[in-house]
Amino acid sequence: MNRRYLGLLADVLRQSWRHYPGATAALLTVKAAAAGTTPALALALGAAIDGIIRGDRRAAVLGATAAALVFGLTVYLKDLSRNLDAMLVDRLGALHLRRDVESRLAGLPGLGHLERTDLLDRVTLLRGFGWRMSASLWTAVIAVFVGLRLILLLVVLGTAVTPWLLPLVVFAAAPIYFERRGQRTTFQAELDTAEAYRLQRELFNLATGPAGGKELRVCGVGDQLAERQRAAWSEALGVRYRARVKAAAGNLAGWALFTLGLGAGLGLVVYRAAHGDGTIGDLVLAVTVAATLRDALQDALFGVAEAMAGRTLADPYLWLRDYATTAGHPGTLPAPTELRDGIVLDRVSFTYPGADEPAVDEVSCRLPAGSVVAVVGEYGSGKSTLVKLLTKFYQPDEGRITVDGTDLADVDTARWRAGTSAAFQDFGRFHVRFRDAVGLGDLPHLHDDTRVAAAVHAADADGFAHRLPDGLDTQLGRAYAGVELSEGQWQKTALARASMRPEPVLFVLDEPTASLDAPSEHAIFQRYMDRARRLAERTGAITVVISHRFSTVAGADQILVLDRGRLVEQGTHADLMTAGGRYADLYGIQADAYART
């Protein structure tokens, strides 16, 4: 175990002590006391046997009584330890450690980690981290006290029988050594196959979930999907199986060495007793210790195995902790509560991890305070990426974005987002109560029914919201015995969520009506253009609208035309139509298409 892992175990122990001091102290005391019961039992039995053989009734009775008391204490301590252990593992794991992982993941400032396979591989291994890490702490503690018990047993053998039995410690270490080696092998195999394991799980969810069910059945690809899932699972399982076979072979070698040494030690004791160099009590003591030595060694191996299993979680957790401390520059400057000049993009470029071409390429423009800015272009032109840069989900690779003259990279990310409202193209479908699905847009006002109702009205969602069986308290999602919304209703819910904050300085609408019919789309855009003008008057807010339907953005103050990541045109609708360039061509093509329909 390396120093960082031991440090993590110490940190988990400190958390256990801080949150549950009484139970933690009790469990440590119980485990320390249990370490001495086995040697005490062996000594008591040996004394009882020697007393019987010598005819010393008092010594025999005292030895037998002591053995009975020690045995009873052993049973009691084992039961108490099991109950305390279960309580601490469950509470500490579920309420504190798992929350720490979730908080670190949720606290990552950008989205880049969702596209990094090295991080996703480790997140795959971190499932069940809370419970298993808490369990690893106490199994590591068990391993320490079991090691103490092993030492005491060997000391008893060496001092009460013969020093020639002390070398058994070397043979007792063999299974532990091979167990640790096997655990390292299996951990590496799990890490190497995490991507294949994640793929097979995703394919299984795809094949059995409702999201793609209709298309999969129409296309008739169910069997092919199942075959791909089986192939991914076989890939992951094959590597892990070979690693476990290798680990099992090492464990067999370790136990073989231990058995050989233990057999030789018992043979020595029998030989000494037969030649008058020992007593029958020594033989009973040796046999008792030998039997319990095996059990103690198994307990030690279990503790080492669980502790090493915890290390398979500790390594990705420590990696995640390091990543979280270096992932992006969160900024420290206060975010503006109103805009005076606006946002300026100065030769901004950005390329997604693993991509060959930039998604945004040397874009320079100014978004004036109080303006409505439309971003248009064909699919893949960089529109959504530009929005992600404005909301600090990514940092530019080159160039910079300034807000009223301050570099956006230096602005506190959480505060900047607290002044931002957004409805994204890939909006969330949160299976919670309807009021919460809307109220999440402004968490401090989650339970403000007046604010929620106003947001629902702003998104033109009153119609279906009033028909929900339990009103604002209606549970959403069939998976939780709730109501399943249509695609358009989910989008209106997302729009309502984006309307919760009353005075944002940046308001983003990324394809806000893609799932709505034409009348609803017109009504929504009219509402939000009016809202944008009101926000501009109060805070100088900038509203950024992305839409593939050019007719809906003609009233914007400024239109940015992107093509393959580059800004090829900018201006008002009238200016761009007069110029007769890219925008005019695309607008004409779309207008003709709608006219024919």
Side-chain angles (χ1 to χ4, degrees), residues 544-568:
V544 179
V545 181
I546 296 176
S547 178
H548 65 283
R549 297 176 185 173
F550 285 22
S551 60
T552 61
V553 300
D557 300 316
Q558 182 180 8
I559 299 173
L560 307 179
V561 185
L562 295 180
D563 182 38
R564 296 182 182 180
R566 300 188 70 88
L567 179 61
V568 294

Side-chain angles (χ1 to χ4, degrees), residues 127-477:
R127 290 180 177 272
F129 169 82
W131 183 88
R132 289 185 62 185
M133 197 66 224
S134 181
S136 294
L137 164 67
W138 292 110
T139 50
V141 171
I142 289 174
V144 170
F145 285 115
V146 168
L148 176 61
R149 193 198 325 171
L150 284 171
I151 293 172
L152 291 174
L153 288 171
L154 293 172
V155 168
V156 167
L157 283 177
T159 56
V161 182
T162 173
W164 288 102
L165 295 178
L166 289 177
L168 280 177
V169 68
V170 177
F171 292 93
I176 297 177
Y177 167 77
F178 283 105
E179 179 70 27
R180 286 190 59 190
R181 185 175 176 180
Q183 284 288 336
R184 286 195 294 267
T185 300
T186 54
F187 164 70
Q188 190 60 47
E190 289 182 5
L191 181 59
D192 292 342
T193 58
E195 184 172 348
Y197 181 81
R198 191 170 65 252
L199 174 61
Q200 67 83 25
R201 188 179 61 211
E202 183 65 27
L203 291 172
F204 176 82
N205 292 338
L206 179 62
T208 58
K214 296 186 290 295
E215 293 178 69
L216 294 177
R217 283 158 179 77
V218 169
C219 297
V221 296
D223 290 341
Q224 185 182 48
L225 199 64
E227 178 59 28
R228 291 191 178 187
Q229 190 270 344
R230 186 201 64 79
W233 179 240
S234 296
E235 178 185 348
L237 191 64
V239 175
R240 296 183 181 192
Y241 174 76
R242 288 189 292 272
R244 289 191 176 101
V245 169
K246 184 177 179 180
N251 291 341
L252 179 62
W255 277 107
L257 287 172
F258 171 73
T259 303
L260 179 64
L262 185 60
L266 289 177
L268 176 61
V269 174
V270 172
Y271 177 83
R272 286 171 52 81
H275 289 77
D277 292 329
T279 67
I280 299 298
D282 290 341
L283 182 57
V284 171
L285 173 62
V287 172
T288 302
V289 169
T292 54
L293 187 64
R294 183 201 61 193
D295 294 337
L297 188 56
Q298 286 181 330
D299 289 342
L301 287 174
F302 174 76
V304 170
E306 286 297 306
M308 291 300 292
R311 184 175 177 178
T312 66
L313 298 173
D315 285 348
Y317 170 76
L318 292 171
W319 188 95
L320 171 64
R321 195 167 70 179
D322 291 342
Y323 178 84
T325 59
T326 58
H329 174 50
T332 56
L333 298 180
T337 56
E338 61 180 38
L339 296 180
R340 300 181 182 277
D341 180 44
I343 298 175
V344 176
L345 286 79
D346 182 16
R347 292 171 293 178
V348 170
S349 296
F350 174 76
T351 303
Y352 285 102
D356 296 326
E357 300 292 331
V360 171
D361 190 6
E362 293 191 358
V363 171
S364 295
C365 61
R366 177 174 174 267
L367 315 182
S371 64
V372 176
V373 180
V375 185
V376 299
E378 297 182 274
Y379 289 108
S381 60
K383 304 187 298 296
S384 294
T385 302
L386 191 64
V387 165
K388 292 174 183 176
L389 292 170
L390 290 173
T391 48
K392 292 195 71 175
F393 291 137
Y394 296 97
Q395 297 283 356
D397 297 327
E398 297 178 12
R400 67 175 190 154
I401 301 173
T402 59
V403 180
D404 280 354
T406 301
D407 195 327
L408 183 59
D410 296 329
V411 175
D412 182 275
T413 300
R415 293 182 180 180
W416 173 248
R417 289 184 186 153
T420 300
S421 289
F424 295 102
Q425 181 179 8
D426 49 347
F427 50 83
R429 296 163 177 80
F430 303 118
H431 291 177
V432 294
R433 294 183 306 168
F434 180 71
R435 72 163 68 248
D436 296 334
V438 176
L440 286 172
D442 191 11
L443 203 56
H445 296 91
L446 178 66
H447 303 297
D448 187 335
D449 286 356
T450 301
R451 183 78 65 84
V452 170
V456 170
H457 178 72
D460 194 28
D462 306 80
F464 81 86
H466 290 157
R467 295 193 300 272
L468 293 173
D470 297 315
L472 294 179
D473 290 319
T474 299
Q475 173 67 42
L476 302 182

